[in-house]
Amino acid sequence: MAKGKTTNWKTERRKRAWAMYQEGWKQKDIAAALGVTKGAVSQWINRGKEGGETALEEQPKSGAPPRLSPADRQKLPELLARGAESFGFRGELWTCSRVAQVIRREFGVKYHPAHVSRILKDLGWTPQKPIRRAKQRKEAEIQRWKDERWPALKKRPAQKDVPSSS
């Protein structure tokens, strides 16, 4: 193999199937030997007949090319490691919309927050959701209400020893 050239095991399997076919193997025997379906072998042979061995190479990925370059994608975790506050956000939580804003500022690429979640997942990051609480929240009063008032309001189970009115 040429230096710097990577190989794809699926491509090699297709090429092996093509070589076996040219040696006179039957499609069902090729499928059994390679652990694939007869339909897959049939498709590979048709591709080989139409374009030779080069037609069995890996096909380019469908869809739009990624807007964020591989170098920028590798740089993103470093940026996020600085913390959300270093980018002017309040609190150290990263949400998808915050990450989308950072990507737009740093790389000039606009992504929907839903797509940012997929990018973060690919990078091994998990999005976080902030806990939204009022600034004027008084924890001591809330706890006292939970301890004193809530039990009185809570629905009590029916008494079992009381005779029925029916």
Side-chain angles (χ1 to χ4, degrees), residues 90-161:
R90 203 171 93 210
E92 279 299 330
L93 293 173
W94 281 116
T95 62
C96 291
S97 61
R98 286 181 173 189
V99 175
Q101 290 176 39
V102 169
I103 291 171
R104 189 173 189 179
R105 269 190 246 157
E106 296 293 318
F107 308 116
V109 176
K110 185 178 177 183
Y111 279 120
H112 188 277
H115 185 70
V116 170
S117 69
R118 289 188 281 271
I119 293 172
L120 290 174
K121 185 178 178 183
D122 290 346
L123 295 172
W125 281 68
T126 57
Q128 304 167 28
K129 288 186 178 180
I131 298 172
R132 302 204 186 274
R133 291 196 171 143
K135 291 178 189 176
Q136 62 271 46
R137 185 178 166 97
K138 297 175 183 166
E139 293 295 332
E141 287 183 33
I142 293 170
Q143 192 59 47
R144 188 168 31 89
W145 185 88
K146 284 181 180 179
D147 293 339
E148 297 170 12
R149 183 77 175 118
W150 176 242
L153 296 173
K154 199 165 49 170
K155 189 175 182 179
R156 291 196 172 98
Q159 293 178 344
K160 294 181 181 179
D161 294 335

Side-chain angles (χ1 to χ4, degrees), residues 47-87:
R47 280 171 58 184
K49 286 178 181 176
E50 291 174 11
E53 193 171 297
T54 57
L56 300 171
E57 294 287 335
E58 187 173 5
Q59 302 297 312
K61 303 283 186 239
S62 63
R67 290 181 279 166
L68 204 58
S69 73
D72 290 345
R73 222 173 224 260
Q74 286 182 336
K75 189 178 175 187
L76 185 59
E78 296 169 20
L79 293 173
L80 299 179
R82 289 190 211 163
E85 288 185 350
S86 69
F87 289 94

